[in-house]
Amino acid sequence: VMQVAMSAATHSSRPLSVRVSREKECADNSIVEPMSPTGRVMEELGVCIVVVIGLGTPVNLPVFRAGIETELLTRFPRFRSIQVMDESTNNSKPRWVQTPVNMDDHIVVPRLDPEADPEKAVEDYVASLSLLPMDRRRPLWEFHFLDFPSSEAASTVVLRLHHSIGDGTSITTLLMASSRSTADPARVPAMPPPPKRTGAIYQREPRPRLSSGDYLALLAWFWSYVVLAWHTLVDVTMIVATILFLSDPRTLFTRADGVEPRTRKRFVHRTLSFDDVKLVKTAMNCVHY
């Protein structure tokens, strides 16, 4: 069982300020690396990703620790880099600088009340992670191991890392690619086959055959692209207007009194039946593909 959620820490701090010499940067390009524009935006927002993984067995901490060291730290420089501001130039820019990693700073085994409800204990702990700031003096990731059973897992692993390292999809794919089969440690886990897209929406309509006098079909084909461009422009305009001044349309999920709750939000995990999802889709008048 794997869940991915995003949160913004309440206390955000700027990257560390250092002076990086050009000689050091040219000697080893892997030590100092400019931060991408997307990484800069995520750094400004202070957004973190929280990945919740349910395990079928109790946590084997030595195996996890060895896997993190061999798979993540060795193969991916982001997991051994910190964000700094390069002040060696007039216009300071954020950069990635590799640094030694102390695994004890990134592996957390909390002590929770054994008499507490396991489901609520996991939810409360994951919710608390979204409010804690990350220490920018070390790489912005950490694993939390909750070694007690719940209704759906024998133990739970929570990964919290800064969004500038990657997004939810890439991190989930990275974790799957870094794991190994218990029966054969040299074999990667088998991935489910891609779905067969046989519905009518995936069937490409043949382009109308043009003849010397069939200009109407050519006009209809061109007009379809004009309509597509117009609808795209309208959708983008409505999104921008909603962000700036328009209010969201009322749906079945809107509060009856129209007032947003001011209480602190939290992560809640529930297993849903696919039939219930279809029921919500029908009630919301959504299109099903």
Side-chain angles (χ1 to χ4, degrees):
V1 181
M2 180 177 294
Q3 291 179 296
V4 180
M6 291 188 298
S7 63
T10 55
H11 300 85
S12 60
S13 58
R14 300 288 299 171
L16 303 178
S17 298
V18 299
R19 296 187 63 85
V20 180
S21 63
R22 291 296 175 182
E23 292 77 8
K24 182 178 181 181
E25 180 179 356
C26 296
D28 189 351
N29 290 329
S30 64
I31 296 179
V32 179
E33 181 182 354
M35 188 180 298
S36 65
T38 303
R40 297 182 188 180
V41 173
M42 295 304 170
E43 184 276 325
E44 292 289 342
L45 296 177
V47 180
C48 297
I49 298 177
V50 179
V51 182
V52 182
I53 307 173
L55 304 180
T57 59
V59 173
N60 191 335
L61 194 56
V63 173
F64 266 99
R65 186 185 183 100
I68 294 172
E69 292 178 346
T70 57
E71 294 293 333
L72 297 182
L73 293 183
T74 304
R75 299 174 56 185
F76 302 101
R78 288 290 183 275
F79 283 83
R80 58 179 188 269
S81 302
I82 60 175
Q83 301 176 1
V84 300
M85 294 295 296
D86 181 9
E87 296 185 346
S88 59
T89 58
N90 294 331
N91 51 346
S92 301
K93 295 183 179 180
R95 294 173 177 264
W96 293 103
V97 176
Q98 295 189 25
T99 183
V101 178
N102 183 6
M103 288 293 296
D104 294 333
D105 295 335
H106 300 270
I107 294 181
V108 182
V109 183
R111 295 182 179 180
L112 303 179
D113 185 7
E115 302 298 331
D117 178 38
E119 312 297 331
K120 191 174 185 300
V122 173
E123 293 175 0
D124 291 341
Y125 187 82
V126 174
S128 66
L129 293 179
S130 64
L131 302 177
L132 299 177
M134 305 195 75
D135 189 355
R136 295 185 176 273
R137 295 172 297 179
R138 58 190 184 212
L140 302 178
W141 61 270
E142 54 195 22
F143 280 89
H144 300 255
F145 296 95
L146 310 180
D147 195 8
F148 56 87
S150 60
S151 62
E152 295 185 340
S155 56
T156 305
V157 178
V158 183
L159 168 62
R160 185 175 73 134
L161 75 165
H162 200 274
H163 206 314
S164 59
I165 297 178
D167 56 20
T169 302
S170 63
I171 296 302
T172 303
T173 305
L174 173 61
L175 294 177
M176 293 295 296
S178 301
S179 59
R180 294 295 181 268
S181 173
T182 54
D184 184 7
R187 181 170 59 89
V188 297
M191 300 295 292
K196 296 181 179 180
R197 299 179 176 180
T198 57
I201 190 174
Y202 298 108
Q203 303 298 325
R204 178 176 296 181
E205 297 182 1
R207 183 176 297 180
R209 303 178 64 179
L210 300 179
S211 60
S212 57
D214 195 3
Y215 294 103
L216 184 60
L218 177 62
L219 180 61
W221 174 75
F222 175 76
W223 180 251
S224 65
Y225 280 91
V226 173
V227 173
L228 176 62
W230 169 252
H231 283 288
T232 303
L233 179 61
V234 171
D235 291 341
V236 172
T237 304
M238 292 301 298
I239 291 174
V240 174
T242 302
I243 295 175
L244 295 179
F245 54 87
L246 290 182
S247 60
D248 293 328
R250 297 188 61 84
T251 65
L252 295 178
F253 295 103
T254 306
R255 286 170 54 97
D257 53 7
V259 179
E260 289 294 330
R262 296 184 179 274
T263 57
R264 181 169 61 90
K265 296 181 175 61
R266 53 180 292 175
F267 295 102
V268 178
H269 167 254
R270 291 293 182 271
T271 299
L272 301 178
S273 171
F274 192 59
D275 293 333
D276 295 338
V277 177
K278 290 183 178 179
L279 179 63
V280 175
K281 180 266 300 183
T282 303
M284 297 293 296
N285 195 23
C286 298
V287 179
H288 175 67
Y289 296 114

